[in-house]
Amino acid sequence: MTPRDKPAIFQLLALLEARYAMRVLWALRDGHAQTFRLLQDSVGGVTPNTLNTRIKELREAGLLTHGADGYLLTPAGTDLVRRLGELPAFAHKWAAGRPRKAPTPTTTPPATNGGEPDAPPPAA
């Protein structure tokens, strides 16, 4: 990577790091237009204000456009999502190779007040 390439990569990563930006792109990867409401449902958990902000940023970046039927990826957005298409396979392989955490015990500690959890402490 040349020093000249770094700013472009940093700019792209900063855009994609924004909350829900990747999810918006991913939701549109099939090429079908989505209305605002459908896109909000596809992304899941995003507030209307946040989605509006992400849409604005992605449109300004040339990755998203709005057509007669709703929001769509631009050719540049489609190219980016195509390149990210290997993420599911990588994520599956990565997750399978991670060490599993030992299950957290769900037992409660033994009662110290005569064996009854809700009994008042013994009188002194």
Side-chain angles (χ1 to χ4, degrees):
M1 172 181 343
T2 68
R4 195 175 64 110
D5 294 332
K6 282 186 178 181
I9 290 169
F10 291 155
Q11 289 175 27
L12 180 60
L13 290 176
L15 175 68
L16 297 178
E17 286 173 352
R19 192 164 191 195
Y20 297 106
M22 291 285 290
R23 288 188 187 191
V24 169
L25 295 172
W26 201 251
L28 294 169
R29 74 187 179 281
D30 66 359
H32 295 100
Q34 292 190 28
T35 63
F36 184 88
R37 179 61 127 174
L38 183 57
L39 186 56
Q40 186 178 13
D41 290 344
S42 296
V43 170
V46 63
T47 65
N49 286 342
T50 300
L51 183 56
N52 272 323
T53 301
R54 290 299 90 79
I55 287 170
K56 180 182 176 196
E57 293 167 352
L58 293 168
R59 286 180 79 177
E60 288 173 355
L63 300 175
L64 193 70
T65 190
H66 188 268
D69 295 328
Y71 294 98
L72 291 162
L73 294 176
T74 63
T78 301
D79 185 32
L80 174 61
V81 170
R82 181 185 57 77
R83 292 169 188 266
L84 296 173
E86 294 182 29
L87 279 178
F90 176 84
H92 181 73
K93 183 177 174 183
W94 172 77
R98 291 186 53 143
R100 307 221 189 281
K101 287 186 176 181
T104 306
T106 56
T107 58
T108 56
T112 57
N113 54 4
E116 295 179 297
D118 294 333

